[in-house]
Amino acid sequence: MSSTDVRKETEDSGPSGYAAARLRLLSEGAQSGPPRRSALSELTDDWLSGLFTAGAEGMRGVSLVAVGGYGRGELSPRSDLDLLLLHDGSDSGAVAALADRIWYPVWDLGLALDHSVRTPVEARKTAGEDLKVQLGLLDARHLAATWA
């Protein structure tokens, strides 16, 4: 089974479909090293984008961003997911609910998550004060967004 076939399996199947596809991808003996990290990143991108899209219906000014190693597309089997939910600050309650709809399925699968929810101003301020945040943002990669 190719990584494309595995990704298609997760399109409408929610967390359990992702878990099965992830296990199948990691069990394939044919892929290892960089190709497997890339395929795992793509699979995870599709899953997280689906969670975002399902939870962000009707929202504006919100973006899900991969940062750090995940942002580089180098997701190893034991890597944590480095995610930033970037928002315009207009509806903090809706953003918090969206964060819950994304974070909880990740935690439910036992995956490590390094996450933050920030406005662009907060992200710049935090990056100016924390070298780890600053370095992670160097590898920022768009996953999903709503547009104002």
Side-chain angles (χ1 to χ4, degrees), residues 66-116:
V67 297
Y70 179 39
R72 288 189 302 276
E74 298 176 353
L75 190 58
S76 294
R78 291 290 194 180
S79 293
D80 62 343
L81 298 178
D82 299 315
L83 295 170
L84 167 62
L85 189 59
L86 195 63
H87 64 97
D88 64 9
S90 63
D91 189 348
S92 60
V95 171
L98 175 60
D100 287 348
R101 293 204 54 182
I102 299 169
W103 306 158
Y104 278 95
V106 173
W107 289 323
D108 288 346
L109 290 179
L111 300 175
L113 178 64
D114 186 2
H115 63 288
S116 60

Side-chain angles (χ1 to χ4, degrees), residues 24-126:
R24 197 167 1 276
L25 177 67
L26 296 177
S27 299
E28 289 179 348
Q31 280 193 336
S32 64
R36 181 164 74 173
R37 289 193 304 268
S38 179
L40 184 56
S41 290
E42 290 175 23
L43 177 69
T44 304
D45 290 353
D46 292 345
W47 178 55
L48 291 171
S49 294
L51 291 174
F52 178 92
T53 301
E57 191 171 325
M59 295 179 70
R60 299 241 186 251
V62 184
S63 180
L64 184 62
V65 181
V67 297
Y70 179 39
R72 288 189 302 276
E74 298 176 353
L75 190 58
S76 294
R78 291 290 194 180
S79 293
D80 62 343
L81 298 178
D82 299 315
L83 295 170
L84 167 62
L85 189 59
L86 195 63
H87 64 97
D88 64 9
S90 63
D91 189 348
S92 60
V95 171
L98 175 60
D100 287 348
R101 293 204 54 182
I102 299 169
W103 306 158
Y104 278 95
V106 173
W107 289 323
D108 288 346
L109 290 179
L111 300 175
L113 178 64
D114 186 2
H115 63 288
S116 60
V117 179
R118 297 189 173 114
T119 65
V121 170
E122 292 167 339
R124 281 191 301 270
K125 182 178 185 296
T126 304

Side-chain angles (χ1 to χ4, degrees), residues 7-18 21 47:
R7 278 199 324 270
K8 286 179 183 175
E9 182 179 315
T10 67
E11 286 180 359
D12 291 317
S13 57
S16 62
Y18 170 76
W47 178 55

